[in-house]
Amino acid sequence: ASCYRSKGPTLLHNLTHDGIDMGGHRLAQEIQEVVRRNEHKNLRYLSLLGNSLGGLFARYAIGVLFDKTTNTICGLLPASF
């Protein structure tokens, strides 16, 4: 199993003041970009871990990315939340 840890703009402190919806959308966009990369083409599962505001961002991003017809998040199976 492999693990990807975000180092992207979602984690920048100055980007936390524009609300949960904007932070959640940034995280959703970052997840989509990571999933599309060739180096991650074998991904099958997605787990998100967030604390405090990061947890709210994660929940919002899941709501944006969740596909009710396939029960997947960006084509990945949810693992642990």
Side-chain angles (χ1 to χ4, degrees):
S2 63
C3 178
Y4 174 82
R5 182 172 183 263
S6 175
K7 298 173 188 159
T10 304
L11 297 176
L12 296 177
H13 177 25
N14 62 338
L15 294 178
T16 63
H17 298 287
D18 58 358
I20 295 165
D21 55 342
M22 293 300 295
H25 277 288
R26 270 194 305 279
L27 179 57
Q29 183 178 15
E30 184 178 341
I31 292 169
Q32 289 173 325
E33 290 170 6
V34 168
V35 168
R36 284 189 215 135
R37 291 184 196 155
N38 278 339
E39 67 213 55
H40 300 296
K41 65 182 175 186
N42 294 326
L43 288 177
R44 294 178 40 210
Y45 299 98
L46 177 69
S47 291
L48 296 178
L49 175 66
N51 185 35
S52 192
L53 185 59
L56 295 175
F57 286 172
R59 290 179 65 123
Y60 196 97
I62 291 167
V64 170
L65 299 174
F66 186 74
D67 184 343
K68 293 178 186 176
T69 59
T70 61
N71 288 329
T72 61
I73 302 168
C74 272
L76 303 174
L77 296 171
S80 299
F81 295 93

